[in-house]
Structures are given as C-alpha cells and as structure tokens.
Amino acid sequence: MNVSPSSQVIPSSKQGRLRYDSVYGFAMLSALFAVLMFSLTAPMSQLALTAFTPEFITFMRASLAGVCSLMLAGYLEWQLPKKQDCIKLLIAGGAVALLFPYSLAVSLEQWEAANLGVILAGIPLVTALLASLIFKEEQNAVFWCCILMGTVLLVMFAYGQSGVIGGLSDNGPVFIMLLMAGIGYSVGGQAAKSIGGIKAICWMMIFYLPVSLLGLGYESPNNADAFTLDNLEAILALLYLSLVSQWIGFYFWYGAMAKVGIAAAGQVQLMQPFFTLLFSVSLLGSVLNAEQFVYAGLITCAVVIAMKYRAK
C-alpha cells in the first residue's frame, strides 16, 4: 500500500528538531528586528542633543517608557515578580533605564553617531562575557574566536574612522556605556527567561519610574524652552528614544534572549553599526566609503560563523 508524503509521520526526533529550528529562527528574527530599532538610537540621540541636555534626554526616556509600562501592567493586572527576579530587574534596570542612556548621550558630545554606532557593536562581546562569567552560559572555542575577531575588526574600524580613541580618563563614558549595556542585556535576559520579554522591560522601567520622574522634574525648567516647532526633529527623536529604543525594542530583544540564550542572540548586534551607518546617511547626512563596506562584509562573516558554531 502506497502512502502519500503528506500522510507520513515525521519521527519524534525530527519533529523536535523542526520545532527547535522554528523557535530559533523566529527568535533570531526578533533579535534582528530589535537591532534595527536600536540602530537608530545613536542618530536619534544626536538629533535630540541639538535641543536637549543629556540629563533631560535620559530622564525623559525613562519617564515616558515607565508611564507606558505602568499603564500596561495595570491594564493586564500583572503580579509583582518573584524576589530573585526583582533583584535581577533592579540590577538590569539601573543600567538600561538610566546609566546606559546617559553615558550614550554624553559620549555623543565627543563622538559622531556613525562612529559611536560602530563602537556599540562591542556590546555583544561584553554581553557574552558577562553571561558566561555570571550565569555560566558556555560557548565553544570557535564561537569565541569569531566574536573576538569581529570585535577586533570593529575597534580597528572605529579607530580608523574617528581617530579619537584615547585613554580611560578621556573616554570614560564610552567604556561605561559598553559595560552598562552588557549588564542590562545579560542580567535582563536572564530575568526575561522567567517572566518574559515584555514584562522584563516593563518592570525595569516601573521600578525606576520614581527616580526618572524626579530627575525629569529637576531638568525640565532648563529644557522647557526647547519644545518649539523649530526643534520638531529633536522632539520626534526624543519620542523615538522613549517609546522605541527604551521600551518596544526591548520586548523583541529580551524575548529573543529568553528563547535562544543571551550570548547567541547578542551576536546579532554585531550588525548594528552598519545599520547605524545607513541610517546616519539619511538622518545626519553622513557619507559612506568603501572601507566601511569591507569591514561590514568581514564582520558579517564573523557573525555568521559564530552563529553556526554556537553551543546548542
């Protein structure tokens, strides 16, 4: 008796593999979507800085995202997370809600958005390193070699483009920015495994809402005059930073980390500098050159190989 292909039963092991591939593929697409949204953060921050101070931008981002998070949590009647999750959310939230946005804005007073966007691609190495040290998320040697190679290429590119890489005392905000991003992603990704991506970012912003509102109230008098039609681009950039970079993007980002692991999802961010370069062309008038595309190809290859040899 002949059996049609459609009626054949897939072995359970193959079904499990297909389900894993489906979940992994969807998670990596979510990570890529988040990276696309995050890629606009540096250009949008530079636009916002034309009218607002770094302090005001930081507190406005956290306050608006926090208010939206509080409304969503109340509407869905969420219960407070468990104590161990709250501790992780407080640690990650301090980095994500306040320290990273502020150090990014301060860094942009010395760096151009395109060049800083390249430096931001060092985040995956910091994230993977912290995930490995703190949460014992192991990866194999090929994976680490590829990530190290990609990071070295990024540093070489940034130095060649900007020529402003100096000592720790001169570029402290840049190093703090990378460290805070690594802490926010690695610790926040662990919390997302327990409570989900959207709850993770919402509770972070809710926990720090009192601080952000106090800071916003303190900084508002010095920035109130900037809310005019002449600064419409800066205002729209501030809204993007508050609702997308600070809130919606993390729903996809933490959701991906919860499904495939912190280090594996984090490697997609190596593509962020090149998305940032492309966005900088249209938003800031930056001019691309052949060297940028060469580095883009090399670093993309490093990411692809790292993902292929990731620990299953």
Side-chain angles (χ1 to χ4, degrees):
M1 179 178 178
N2 294 329
V3 181
S4 64
S6 60
S7 64
Q8 294 179 356
V9 178
I10 300 175
S12 58
S13 59
K14 186 175 291 185
Q15 287 179 333
R17 180 62 187 177
L18 289 174
R19 284 195 296 270
Y20 173 82
D21 289 342
S22 177
V23 170
Y24 182 84
F26 180 78
M28 296 309 286
L29 283 176
S30 295
L32 180 61
F33 189 48
V35 167
L36 281 171
M37 290 187 280
F38 291 155
S39 298
L40 278 162
T41 300
M44 289 296 183
S45 296
Q46 188 163 330
L47 285 175
L49 282 168
T50 61
F52 305 104
T53 64
E55 294 80 8
F56 182 80
I57 293 171
T58 300
F59 289 127
M60 175 60 83
R61 287 179 57 164
S63 296
L64 188 53
V67 170
C68 292
S69 297
L70 186 61
M71 293 173 61
L72 181 62
Y75 177 76
L76 297 178
E77 298 181 347
W78 288 345
Q79 298 296 318
L80 190 69
K82 297 178 180 179
K83 180 179 179 181
Q84 57 268 33
D85 291 325
C86 286
I87 294 174
K88 294 176 184 176
L89 293 169
L90 285 169
I91 295 173
V96 169
L98 300 174
L99 296 176
F100 173 78
Y102 179 66
S103 56
L104 170 65
V106 172
S107 297
L108 280 168
E109 293 182 330
Q110 296 182 358
W111 292 67
E112 292 183 0
N115 290 326
L116 189 63
V118 175
I119 297 300
L120 286 171
I123 292 174
L125 180 63
V126 178
T127 302
L129 179 61
L130 291 175
S132 177
L133 294 176
I134 300 174
F135 301 109
K136 310 302 181 183
E137 187 174 294
E138 298 180 356
Q139 299 293 337
N140 57 43
V142 176
F143 179 92
W144 284 109
C145 287
C146 291
I147 298 310
L148 181 60
M149 181 183 301
T151 304
V152 169
L153 288 169
L154 285 167
V155 172
M156 291 172 59
F157 171 81
Y159 182 78
Q161 291 295 311
S162 65
V164 297
I165 297 181
L168 179 62
S169 59
D170 296 329
N171 296 283
V174 175
F175 291 100
I176 294 174
M177 175 189 67
L178 292 175
L179 180 59
M180 290 302 105
I183 292 174
Y185 291 169
S186 58
V187 181
Q190 281 293 326
K193 289 183 178 181
S194 300
I195 65 176
I198 185 61
K199 285 187 176 180
I201 185 58
C202 283
W203 281 115
M204 288 181 201
M205 305 316 299
I206 291 171
F207 288 160
Y208 283 92
L209 184 57
V211 177
S212 59
L213 287 175
L214 285 173
L216 182 64
Y218 181 80
E219 291 293 332
S220 292
N222 297 326
N223 291 267
D225 293 341
F227 284 93
T228 65
L229 289 178
D230 293 336
N231 295 321
L232 182 59
E233 284 189 350
I235 295 172
L236 293 176
L238 186 60
L239 288 175
Y240 181 92
L241 293 171
S242 302
L243 297 177
V244 180
S245 297
Q246 193 68 60
W247 193 42
I248 298 174
F250 278 99
Y251 163 70
F252 296 97
W253 187 241
Y254 281 146
M257 284 186 166
K259 290 180 174 65
V260 298
I262 297 169
Q267 307 323 307
V268 181
Q269 200 162 28
L270 280 170
M271 301 179 188
Q272 178 172 330
F274 308 101
F275 293 138
T276 298
L277 286 172
L278 294 176
F279 287 132
S280 296
V281 171
S282 57
L283 294 174
L284 304 175
S286 301
V287 179
L288 302 183
N289 54 57
E291 184 181 12
Q292 293 168 336
F293 289 100
V294 171
Y295 274 95
L298 292 174
I299 295 172
T300 299
C301 288
V303 174
V304 171
I305 297 173
M307 291 171 60
K308 181 179 179 180
Y309 287 93
R310 72 191 185 278
K312 300 296 188 293

